Amino acid sequence: MTTVLIVDDQPLQRYGFRMLLESVPETEVVGEAAHGADAVRKAAELRPDVVLMDVRMPGMDGIEATRRIVAAGERSRVLVLTTFDLDEYVHAALRAGASGFLLKDAHAEELLAGIRAVAAGDAVIAPALTRRILDEFTRYVPAHPGERAEDPRLGSLTDREREILVAIGKGWSNGEIATRFVVTESTVKTHVGRVLAKIGARDRVQAVIFAYDQGLARPNAD
């Protein structure tokens, strides 16, 4: 059972999400919030597995609410939902610590799959969407990353773990990584876990950002 907190300033939007989530047995809506400050308070109180977070809301917006929820260090992971397609909110949401990003016009199955993925510690369930987000993210990455000093956390990685980090940065799924390196998916999962631990990343989204910041990945790279 995955517990969910719905955050949106539109009552009808919250009602629609609740109806969808309550129609499947594996999700439970534990609360609703109409603005960011209420979301932060209820996330701390209810400790949901996933927070469905709107971006534009009166008072504290979804980006700041996400930042505060993540900074609290609780179990909740944030899945940002917005009507704005791949604008500056994508970058801000990921930087704030969101574990996923979907558009509100996503199909019901895509939203449910995204909730499951985020609750399991993954990023976006569809690699194609992940790559679209990464394409947008690179607009904010320095043009010459080699000019900055290499993060000392990279030195803790083995050669294979560094290769895995690069693959994560390209948006590859575990299956794609396993195929490329001719290993089992369970082996890839073990490597991914070690990489996340060594670089201090909470999930794959943060690992992607780290890889981009270090110049290890670029969109459309082979």
Side-chain angles (χ1 to χ4, degrees):
M1 178 69 68
T2 299
T3 55
V4 181
L5 171 65
I6 300 171
V7 184
D8 198 292
D9 64 330
Q10 298 295 323
L12 284 178
Q13 190 77 70
R14 295 198 305 272
Y15 177 77
F17 287 139
R18 177 180 283 274
M19 291 294 291
L20 170 63
L21 297 178
E22 291 183 343
S23 70
V24 293
E26 64 267 24
T27 59
E28 176 188 2
V29 177
V30 294
E32 298 181 12
H35 53 78
D38 195 25
V40 173
R41 180 179 64 82
K42 288 186 176 177
E45 174 188 340
L46 302 171
R47 301 181 71 240
D49 297 314
V50 177
V51 179
L52 287 184
M53 182 71 74
D54 189 20
V55 173
R56 286 190 172 182
M57 295 180 289
M60 184 188 298
D61 65 16
I63 303 302
E64 180 59 26
T66 295
R67 185 176 294 109
R68 296 191 185 191
I69 290 171
V70 172
E74 297 291 345
R75 59 181 289 178
S76 301
R77 297 179 182 275
V78 179
L79 175 58
V80 171
L81 297 173
T82 182
T83 56
F84 301 95
D85 186 2
L86 296 176
D87 56 14
E88 69 273 13
Y89 292 113
V90 179
H91 171 255
L94 297 183
R95 282 292 185 190
S99 295
F101 186 96
L102 288 175
L103 301 177
K104 286 185 178 178
D105 61 1
H107 295 297
E109 295 79 6
E110 184 179 0
L111 175 58
L112 293 172
I115 290 172
R116 289 193 297 269
V118 167
D122 287 330
V124 183
I125 193 63
L129 179 57
T130 300
R131 291 187 176 110
R132 287 178 61 202
I133 291 174
L134 298 184
D135 288 347
E136 177 70 8
F137 174 75
T138 55
R139 295 201 300 122
Y140 302 88
V141 176
H144 303 290
E147 295 177 357
R148 67 170 61 181
E150 180 175 286
D151 192 296
R153 288 173 290 180
L154 284 176
S156 69
L157 301 178
T158 66
D159 290 343
R160 175 46 57 91
E161 288 167 352
R162 191 175 178 120
E163 292 173 337
I164 295 294
L165 176 60
V166 171
I168 293 173
K170 293 177 180 178
W172 293 359
S173 67
N174 284 356
E176 290 172 321
I177 296 173
T179 298
R180 175 61 66 96
F181 296 117
V182 196
V183 295
T184 66
E185 287 196 40
S186 62
T187 297
V188 172
K189 187 174 181 179
T190 298
H191 282 310
V192 169
R194 289 173 179 167
V195 168
L196 297 184
K198 287 184 177 182
I199 66 174
R202 187 182 187 192
D203 52 37
R204 291 174 82 107
V205 168
Q206 291 188 341
V208 167
I209 293 175
F210 180 81
Y212 270 62
D213 280 346
Q214 293 301 306
L216 299 179
R218 284 291 182 271
N220 303 320
D222 294 331

